[in-house]
Every structure is written in structure tokens, then in C-alpha cells.
Amino acid sequence: MTPRRLAAEALGTAFLLAAVVGSGIMAARLADGNNALALLCNALSTGAILTVLILIFGPVSGAHFNPAVSLAFAFRRQLAWTEAFAFILAQIAGGVIGVWVAHLMFEVPVWQLSATARTGSGQWIAEIVAALGLGLTIFGCVARAPGAVAYAVGLYITSAYWFTASTSFANPAVTIARALSDTFAGIAAADVLPFIAAQLAGMALATLLALWFWPPADERR
């Protein structure tokens, strides 16, 4: 493990959260109460920055920016468990820093706790679906079209913002960080753990399905 890989995960996750929260604040201010328009702006910004960040940091760290993804790669023996846990700490720290930077840019209080409730069976099922689809997108591209990972993930998240009831967090680090922002993108702290549990369940299912759809031998072709 090198500091460069950890720095890439932390910085990439920080930029991701700065984009998610920053674009949410900007969209809410400019949309004049039109939540559909605000969500569209938020989704486009998030999908675009993900594509860019994966292209930039993919060659450095793999550009996970997501504890569920790091755990999945550790399970697949493509990442050491010790490195996976170090990645997770870097991702969470980077996510929190990204939220705080977004607050500073828009001149709102840095320290916040979200009051936005996101709970219920529909939301939890949506997070399972969101993480499942994200995992299949990543593993399918890694197996058959590695050069398309960045574009596929960016497009998937842009779409999943709209077709999932939860607006597709699909990322424990993102979920934790967004609990620290009482803005358009926030999530109440009480709703964080069920979201994370659903995300891990969805990614676990994706990991198992990927072994069936794309056996390791396929990835070497």
C-alpha cells in the first residue's frame, strides 16, 4: 500500500462529495422550488464528476471512492483486506472533507446535521437495487470492457438518481458524509445505518452474480 493510493481515494471521494452537495445547493437555489429540475442538475453533476474522477484516479488506486466497492474487490481477492480497510477510512475522511468544502464554497455553516428523512421499505429496496446495479456495471465492464468503466458508472449513477426511490446513494461513504449536510442532498443520521446495510447487501449480491456471469477466467481474456 502506498500513500499515493490512499490520497487518490481520499481526494477523489472529496471531489465526489463536493460535487454532490455543492451542485445540490446550487440547484436548490436556482431552481426556485422546482425539485425535479434541482434533482436533474444534481444527477448530471454527479454522473459527470464520477466519470472524470474514475478516468483521473483509476490508474492510481482503482478509483473506488466507495467502501462497498472496496469490500467487493477484497472479497474477489483483487485487493488486500488491509488495503481495503485503509481505503474505507480514506474514503470516509475524504467524503466528510468534500462536504465541508462545499459548505465553505456556498458560505453556509460548515458543521451541520441533516434533518432530511429518507426511510421506509421503498427507500431500502431502492438502495439494494442501486448498489446491485452499480456492482454489476463495474464488474461487467472490468470483465469485458475495462476502458468503459468510467463512462458506464457515470451514466449508471445519472440514471439511477431517477429510477430509484432513494436517488441512488449506493455508497456508504457518501451516505455518512451526506448526513453532515442539511441541504438538498442530505440524509438524517437516523437513516444512515439502514441505507448502508442495504447498500452492502446489494453489492454483496452483485459480487456473487458477477462470479457467475463473468467467471475469473473471462476477465483474463
Side-chain angles (χ1 to χ4, degrees):
M1 186 192 314
T2 66
R4 184 173 61 179
R5 287 167 62 80
L6 294 178
E9 286 298 303
L11 186 58
T13 312
F15 266 103
L16 173 59
L17 266 299
V20 171
V21 173
S23 67
I25 295 172
M26 178 71 84
R29 289 180 179 180
L30 298 180
D32 195 25
N34 186 331
N35 287 334
L37 180 58
L39 182 62
L40 176 61
C41 296
N42 197 205
L44 291 174
S45 177
T46 303
I49 197 65
L50 260 177
T51 302
V52 172
L53 291 172
I54 294 170
L55 287 171
I56 292 171
F57 292 118
V60 181
S61 67
H64 296 182
F65 315 137
N66 185 333
V69 172
S70 295
L71 289 173
F73 275 97
F75 178 82
R76 290 161 61 92
R77 298 182 181 178
Q78 294 173 317
L79 184 69
W81 283 102
T82 53
E83 191 165 19
F85 290 124
F87 270 28
I88 290 169
L89 293 177
Q91 291 155 1
I92 293 172
V96 172
I97 291 169
V99 167
W100 288 345
V101 169
H103 291 169
L104 288 170
M105 288 193 292
F106 287 93
E107 299 182 355
V108 300
V110 173
W111 177 254
Q112 302 180 25
L113 289 176
S114 177
T116 303
R118 298 179 188 267
T119 188
S121 60
Q123 298 273 313
W124 303 330
I125 292 169
E127 280 302 289
I128 293 173
V129 171
L132 169 61
L134 176 61
L136 291 177
T137 299
I138 293 169
F139 299 135
C141 285
V142 166
R144 295 300 191 184
V149 172
Y151 309 104
V153 170
L155 288 170
Y156 174 79
I157 290 297
T158 302
S159 175
Y161 255 71
W162 285 89
F163 79 75
T164 63
S166 62
T167 67
S168 184
F169 285 42
N171 183 329
V174 165
T175 306
I176 292 168
R178 286 171 66 166
L180 300 177
S181 184
D182 193 21
T183 62
F184 182 80
I187 177 174
D191 301 329
V192 166
L193 288 181
F195 259 53
I196 291 176
Q199 292 156 5
L200 294 177
M203 189 60 69
L205 181 56
T207 303
L208 293 175
L209 285 173
L211 291 174
W212 183 42
F213 287 135
W214 308 287
D218 289 354
E219 295 182 10
R220 294 193 293 269
R221 291 178 186 174

